[in-house]
Amino acid sequence: MATLTTDVLVIGGGATGAGVAWDAALRGLDVVLVDRGDLAEGTSGRFHGLLHSGGRYAVKDPRAAEECIAENRILRRVAADGIEDTGGFFVTTPWDDPAYADRFAAGCAATGVDCEEIDRAVALKEEPRLNPDVSRVFRVPDASIDVWKTVWALARGAQQRGARVLPYHAAVAIHRDGDRVTGARLRGSRSGEELDVEAGVTVNASGAWAHFIAEMAGIEGVRVLPGRGIMIAMNHRLVNTCVNRCQMPTDGDIIVPIRTVCVIGTTDVHTDDPDDHTVIQSEVDAMLDDGEKLVPGFRRARALRVWTGVRPLFEDAKADSTETRDVTRAHALLDHEQRDGVQGFVTITGGKLTTFRLMAEETVDAVCRHLGEQRACTTSTEPLPGSEEHATYHLGERLERKEQHLSDHQLICECEMVPRWKLEQTMRRRATTNLDDIRRLLRLGMGPCQGGFCIYRATGILHGLDGLTAEQADETLRRFLQERWKGVWPVLYGDQLRQARLDDWIFQGVLGVEHLPA
Amino acid sequence: MTAGGNVSAGMTGIDELLRGSLDHCVKCTICETQCPVSNVTPLFPGPKYAGPQAERYRVGGEPSVEWSVDYCSGCGICSMSCPQGVKIAEINAQARHKLKREHGIPLRDRLITRPTWLGRAGTPVAPLANFTLGFKPLRVLGEKTLGVHRNGPAPKFAGRRFSRWARGHSGPGTGRRIVYFHGCGTEYYEPWEGQKIVEILEHNGFRVEVPKQDCCGLPLQSSGLFDDARKVVLRLARALAPHVRDDPDTIIVGNATSCTLMLKREAREILGIEGDPDLKLVSERTYDICELLLELHDRGELKTDFRPVDEHIAYHAPCQQQGHYIGKPALELFALIPGLEVSEMNARCCGIAGTYGLKAEKYDIAMAVGADLFAQVEASGAGEVACDSETCRWQITHATGHKSAHPIDYLHRAYGL
């Protein structure tokens, strides 16, 4: 069995774990980053894409609001490439308590969240689909963030500084030597091979799964209360600004424009199993009704797909509630030396995507304490790969690039404008047979047809590049279709139903995909 | 089929219609198989690409990034062929408009989109103007300085105006009132077409009124000059509306199919003019001449005292005529004329698309688009070519050397007027 030796082993390749890897690598530490699946496949990749201004927490959780606005300003510079400066509105709809607006404005002032009340008419001019019956509108610096782009930039930056990044490697055991954690045993979920990592410090950044890893290390009482929320992506951007309901946090209170779609979110239902991705039809219906309150006609617009994400809410010992929204959204850093007398082990959980950098900074500070050497954090000033110019993403980017190569770059995914050369380059780099891995990197198959026209093409290209057997290629195709189907079926109505029928004719009728040799 | 869009509130009708209609696209690619332009040039990436696909990447506040959408000729075949009701050509027209607004409009586009200016300037000096338009060295100069292709099928000024003839013409003075919208082509270039239409209508018992009128704004619109086009079409609506407002039975008839389409539909669906009562009234009352005559025939009200016309002609239904969604009434009218043999052309587009084929950078594309039609005309063995739209006729004659005429010409001959 192979053994790797490193300063820091990070378990969990979401935004937090990748952020820890980047931070530690920048401080000159040797890092191994692992995830049981792909990077940002869990909670990080399953949210609506909001980079908080802090407005959402200005009344309820001032500390979270302060953290958000501080991180928002930092990330716009250092992670600009994955961020679109959409701006945000908080709007008082007829369903919202009108008294909240003043509390909101006061909360923003107290927490330093930039907030300006604007004329309704100005807001409606900027966002013509917004409910014309909103009574008050506040502008805040919300933005949208492409998590996959950001997490891979973190990983790539860490790799450039020597880090080893191992997706599809699950921790199957945490090694302990007395009161010291010394590393972990990993199992490659694709190769099936096991691997030992000897680490000075092991960081448990597994979010909603943190209690499993802590238990493996023999640590008791780490409790994470998973809160499941659904999100629905719409076919195109009904709004180009993040639009929030100006009220206490509740279900369906935001629409985020991200890349070519806009996403409404979310719900919050307690679940015992962080891998529970059940979509409940009544939740979908309620979410569409909520959309209607912000954008009248929302129900008639085309929904593309539904997904769920599971928040890792760290349970306060004092609270005994199943209403997960009331559990703190703040992150929790558990230094197990101080908490449990176990050296070389740190757990970071809770929190929110917007504050991943801060969480990583605090975590690596703790790592340094364990290693006995103080090294300064530089993630607030060091740009990620791709963000060196601090230029934020804009929606027309892919269209503009394609325009330079109209006839010489064949488009494979037409909806998301993925050219063949880019697809092939990414397939070679990732060396994966899972097209979902490629999807997360390129948005392959994420547009209106949900892979209907690109996935048979992409499978053929992968087959040609990778030397897959025909059976493996069939399996690749089928697995991707199944993944897409999971998200499509709960919103099969209207235009998306027509699309699903056409896709069905292509894959079942023409290609007979269920009867391919397996 | 649902032609409209999905999301409504707060949106103006046009945004709703276009942006909302992209939700209907299932990527089937039928429009791309039908697009006459993208089938002959890589410079236009195709209606699905430029329309519902690219639209998802467009944000009002961001600058235009695609010059390629300027290569759409605006023929409208994509919208017509879409089985899902996506307003593809209309989405593209909006994108083209935005591009032109941001990047400025060439002098050429400001000139050739103003048939009224050109007509007024050219008519009194028609021999000189026609000499200029036919004189190769000057055309070469025009291509180099203005970007109007040296071979582009420029029409000849008739040297007289239809409206002058109409003022001097004394009709029957009785009969059912009808308002004639002749358009700029008839006014400055083909006044005889207007005379024939007046005579046919009078033969069928109408009393024809010819109001003072002006351009419909279509050339401006197709070059992306929407603000000017809106002014021009509304001016036309102001001119026509008073003639039909007080009498619910009075209708407007026109022979320029692209101009009548502007009144019927495009002022709303492309220029986004909503709620103007004059335009709405004019839009509801406007008929294409062949549409009207066939409807009269269906009601048994069209005189059928036709003499034989022993000719073999080809008929091409232009894209803009197809955009009326009225079928091909000219073919059914031809069938009433004894002796007339008609070969229906089965080609998409002649390529000219109004002023598109006049532009230096687009002339070759327009000729390539029309190649199929031109070959069919040659192969048909027909003599003349009948076609409803004047710019298409000029293009067909330019490319094939065959004489061309409005379908109405053959009815006029058959009536012996």
Side-chain angles (χ1 to χ4, degrees):
Chain A
M1 190 188 312
T3 301
L4 300 177
T5 305
T6 185
D7 296 328
V8 190
L9 167 65
V10 185
I11 300 172
T16 308
V20 168
W22 162 243
D23 188 317
L26 276 181
R27 298 195 208 197
L29 297 172
D30 191 26
V31 180
V32 173
L33 171 67
V34 304
D35 196 284
R36 62 171 194 166
D38 197 17
L39 297 193
E41 193 181 346
T43 304
S44 297
R46 297 178 152 273
F47 88 134
H48 42 43
L50 175 69
L51 182 70
H52 277 283
S53 60
R56 175 48 72 217
Y57 304 111
V59 174
K60 187 169 179 179
D61 191 345
R63 196 183 135 206
E66 286 166 359
E67 286 176 358
C68 282
I69 186 63
E71 290 302 306
N72 180 301
R73 289 176 187 145
I74 292 168
L75 293 178
R76 280 168 184 263
R77 284 183 54 77
V78 299
D81 191 38
I83 292 173
E84 183 183 348
D85 183 14
T86 61
F89 288 161
F90 275 76
V91 299
T92 305
T93 73
W95 296 270
D96 302 326
D97 174 11
Y100 183 84
D102 288 329
R103 292 173 63 203
F104 173 79
C108 287
T111 53
V113 175
D114 310 295
C115 170
E116 175 201 7
E117 179 155 15
I118 61 170
D119 197 74
R120 280 178 62 249
V122 172
L124 284 164
K125 190 155 187 292
E126 285 180 35
E127 290 300 341
R129 287 193 174 83
L130 185 63
N131 189 337
D133 295 329
V134 297
S135 53
R136 298 181 73 177
V137 182
F138 299 89
R139 193 197 295 282
V140 295
D142 283 344
S144 62
I145 180 165
D146 183 327
V147 172
W148 296 309
K149 206 173 177 184
T150 305
V151 167
W152 277 99
L154 292 164
R156 210 162 61 245
Q159 279 175 316
Q160 285 164 4
R161 285 160 179 79
R164 284 159 287 183
V165 177
L166 304 175
Y168 294 104
H169 278 78
V172 292
I174 303 294
H175 297 314
R176 259 183 87 157
D177 180 8
D179 57 3
R180 178 171 197 89
V181 169
T182 58
R185 174 159 301 171
L186 311 176
R187 183 180 296 136
S189 61
R190 292 186 165 165
S191 60
E193 286 170 15
E194 297 200 341
L195 174 70
D196 266 333
V197 181
E198 288 174 0
V201 181
T202 299
V203 176
N204 172 14
S206 56
W209 294 263
H211 48 302
F212 296 130
I213 300 296
E215 275 166 26
M216 275 188 216
I219 306 278
E220 298 292 320
V222 173
R223 290 179 65 191
V224 176
L225 198 62
R228 181 168 49 79
I230 71 164
M231 277 135 289
I232 304 175
M234 309 303 285
N235 183 42
H236 62 100
R237 302 205 346 183
L238 301 170
V239 290
N240 288 305
T241 306
C242 297
V243 179
N244 302 264
R245 296 268 293 274
C246 193
Q247 60 170 2
M248 292 299 268
T250 183
D251 288 351
D253 59 5
I254 186 166
I255 303 176
V256 181
I258 173 134
R259 305 295 291 244
T260 52
V261 302
C262 63
V263 178
I264 185 166
T266 176
T267 51
D268 200 340
V269 180
H270 170 71
T271 175
D272 290 323
D273 175 8
D275 289 309
D276 172 13
H277 291 303
T278 313
V279 173
I280 296 166
Q281 200 62 47
S282 59
E283 290 181 23
V284 173
D285 279 339
M287 189 68 53
L288 293 172
D289 285 342
D290 289 329
E292 197 72 30
K293 291 171 184 167
L294 287 168
V295 173
F298 195 87
R299 265 191 167 280
R300 280 173 290 132
R302 176 170 171 181
L304 287 185
R305 66 184 287 108
V306 180
W307 69 94
T308 65
V310 175
R311 296 182 191 82
L313 299 180
F314 182 66
E315 195 176 25
D316 193 308
K318 287 174 285 186
D320 187 20
S321 168
T322 50
E323 185 65 39
T324 56
R325 210 184 297 278
D326 294 332
V327 178
T328 179
R329 284 287 165 85
H331 54 269
L333 174 69
L334 308 179
D335 183 331
H336 295 290
E337 186 173 6
Q338 293 165 6
R339 185 180 184 268
D340 309 288
V342 175
Q343 292 179 328
F345 193 57
V346 175
T347 292
I348 177 76
T349 186
K352 56 191 78 64
L353 188 114
T354 301
T355 59
F356 82 86
R357 193 211 60 85
L358 178 65
M359 293 161 71
E361 178 177 344
E362 291 177 8
T363 305
V364 182
D365 285 348
V367 167
C368 287
R369 282 198 301 276
H370 279 251
L371 293 173
E373 45 183 328
Q374 280 311 306
R375 297 174 186 228
C377 172
T378 57
T379 54
S380 64
T381 52
E382 184 70 29
L384 287 171
S387 296
E388 293 85 356
E389 307 295 324
H390 309 297
T392 50
Y393 163 84
H394 65 96
L395 180 61
E397 268 181 28
R398 285 189 177 182
L399 191 60
E400 192 172 6
R401 265 206 300 276
K402 175 64 185 154
E403 183 74 10
Q404 316 304 324
H405 302 277
L406 267 187
S407 48
D408 54 338
H409 286 177
Q410 184 191 7
L411 281 185
I412 301 304
C413 171
E414 298 170 53
C415 306
E416 294 296 326
M417 296 202 181
V418 180
R420 182 174 183 139
W421 71 267
K422 184 80 184 168
L423 181 66
E424 291 184 351
Q425 183 193 64
T426 308
M427 284 171 167
R428 286 203 181 92
R429 279 195 188 146
R430 274 311 299 274
T432 174
T433 59
N434 185 351
L435 286 173
D436 234 23
D437 296 343
I438 306 296
R439 172 182 70 82
R440 281 184 285 272
L441 288 168
L442 298 180
R443 299 185 60 82
L444 178 76
M446 291 184 69
C449 76
Q450 289 287 298
F453 285 78
C454 63
I455 288 309
Y456 57 81
R457 297 172 186 160
T459 306
I461 290 167
L462 185 68
H463 180 46
L465 283 185
D466 226 31
L468 296 179
T469 64
E471 286 75 13
Q472 286 168 324
D474 294 347
E475 183 52 31
T476 291
L477 175 66
R478 257 195 302 261
R479 189 165 37 176
F480 190 91
L481 289 174
Q482 273 159 9
E483 274 303 311
R484 292 285 90 187
W485 179 244
K486 276 186 206 165
V488 169
W489 74 261
V491 285
L492 273 186
Y493 60 86
D495 289 313
Q496 199 59 9
L497 179 57
R498 295 192 207 193
Q499 183 72 62
R501 282 302 289 145
L502 180 58
D503 291 357
D504 192 53
W505 286 326
I506 292 171
F507 288 102
Q508 308 262 28
V510 179
L511 298 177
V513 78
E514 284 184 9
H515 307 286
L516 296 173
Chain B
M1 189 196 299
T2 46
N6 281 334
V7 179
S8 56
M11 296 297 284
T12 59
I14 183 75
D15 292 334
E16 153 59 11
L17 189 66
L18 306 189
R19 190 76 202 232
S21 88
L22 77 84
D23 271 358
H24 304 323
C25 177
V26 293
K27 323 293 289 187
C28 70
T29 313
I30 286 173
C31 59
E32 306 240 310
T33 68
Q34 297 301 308
C35 175
V37 178
S38 64
N39 275 283
V40 299
T41 176
L43 294 172
F44 180 54
K48 179 176 78 170
Y49 176 91
Q53 212 157 276
E55 184 65 15
R56 295 175 71 241
Y57 292 82
R58 296 186 184 120
V59 177
E62 283 190 11
S64 290
V65 293
E66 329 125 79
W67 284 100
S68 59
V69 74
D70 191 43
Y71 279 91
C72 163
S73 77
C75 70
I77 289 177
C78 46
S79 294
M80 231 182 309
S81 62
C82 176
Q84 306 294 339
V86 184
K87 296 281 180 187
I88 310 163
E90 292 80 356
I91 292 172
N92 291 345
Q94 286 292 336
R96 196 160 55 245
H97 161 55
K98 185 165 180 279
L99 179 79
K100 291 289 176 76
R101 204 178 45 198
E102 288 170 10
H103 295 278
I105 293 134
L107 176 63
R108 183 224 23 223
D109 291 12
R110 292 186 186 278
L111 281 178
I112 64 174
T113 56
R114 298 280 189 176
T116 311
W117 294 357
L118 295 174
R120 286 191 185 144
T123 298
V125 291
L128 176 64
N130 289 337
F131 170 76
T132 306
L133 290 172
F135 186 54
K136 205 29 85 58
L138 285 172
R139 288 296 298 268
V140 172
L141 189 67
E143 179 179 304
K144 296 213 185 308
T145 55
L146 281 174
V148 177
H149 196 277
R150 65 186 71 176
N151 295 327
K156 281 197 163 48
F157 292 104
R160 59 192 174 89
R161 291 168 63 166
F162 168 74
S163 54
R164 175 156 297 177
W165 174 88
R167 278 201 299 278
H169 171 72
S170 55
T174 56
R176 187 180 160 191
R177 273 179 72 230
I178 192 163
V179 176
Y180 176 38
F181 165 49
H182 51 72
C184 305
T186 303
E187 174 73 356
Y188 300 108
Y189 303 108
E190 298 181 337
W192 55 86
E193 298 285 1
Q195 291 166 220
K196 288 173 185 171
I197 283 168
V198 170
E199 286 165 11
I200 289 172
L201 289 170
E202 288 176 353
H203 182 65
N204 280 285
F206 285 94
R207 179 160 53 91
V208 184
E209 280 183 23
V210 183
K212 196 168 173 348
Q213 54 189 270
D214 218 326
C215 179
C216 68
L218 175 66
L220 291 162
Q221 181 254 92
S222 67
S223 286
L225 291 92
F226 281 17
D227 296 337
D228 291 341
R230 283 190 198 103
K231 282 182 210 148
V232 168
V233 72
L234 285 174
R235 196 168 59 206
L236 177 62
R238 305 273 177 273
L240 297 177
H243 296 265
V244 294
R245 192 178 290 130
D246 298 328
D247 177 8
D249 292 330
T250 303
I251 61 160
I252 300 164
V253 69
N255 54 315
T257 47
S258 49
C259 308
T260 46
L261 187 64
M262 182 70 171
L263 291 178
K264 280 183 172 181
R265 187 159 69 82
E266 293 190 343
R268 180 169 48 87
E269 295 191 358
I270 294 183
L271 295 178
I273 302 174
E274 289 288 319
D276 184 84
D278 286 344
L279 183 66
K280 184 166 184 291
L281 178 67
V282 168
S283 173
E284 288 165 357
R285 298 286 181 86
T286 298
Y287 282 70
D288 168 62
I289 181 70
C290 292
E291 178 188 20
L292 172 76
L293 295 179
L294 185 62
E295 201 169 304
L296 288 175
H297 180 66
D298 289 346
R299 292 205 300 257
E301 295 171 12
L302 185 77
K303 285 195 182 165
T304 52
D305 51 337
F306 295 118
R307 306 174 194 171
V309 175
D310 291 318
E311 279 194 47
H312 176 198
I313 61 169
Y315 174 67
H316 170 63
C319 312
Q320 296 288 322
Q321 189 277 337
Q322 293 288 282
H324 284 247
Y325 306 140
I326 54 173
K328 296 179 179 175
L331 280 177
E332 293 181 63
L333 294 171
F334 289 149
L336 303 173
I337 302 174
L340 187 65
E341 186 190 341
V342 183
S343 295
E344 184 188 355
M345 300 294 96
N346 180 27
R348 292 189 198 111
C349 179
C350 73
I352 191 74
T355 56
Y356 182 87
L358 294 177
K359 297 171 183 173
E361 74 280 12
K362 288 158 186 151
Y363 173 83
D364 290 338
I365 297 171
M367 291 301 281
V369 165
D372 185 24
L373 173 64
F374 309 147
Q376 287 187 31
V377 168
E378 298 294 355
S380 70
E384 296 181 5
V385 183
C387 175
D388 306 71
S389 173
E390 60 272 16
T391 56
C392 305
R393 289 198 293 274
W394 303 334
Q395 167 86 339
I396 292 165
T397 297
H398 164 66
T400 64
H402 287 246
K403 193 165 172 280
S404 59
H406 193 284
I408 210 77
D409 268 45
Y410 304 93
L411 290 170
H412 191 264
R413 273 185 239 177
Y415 277 132
L417 295 169

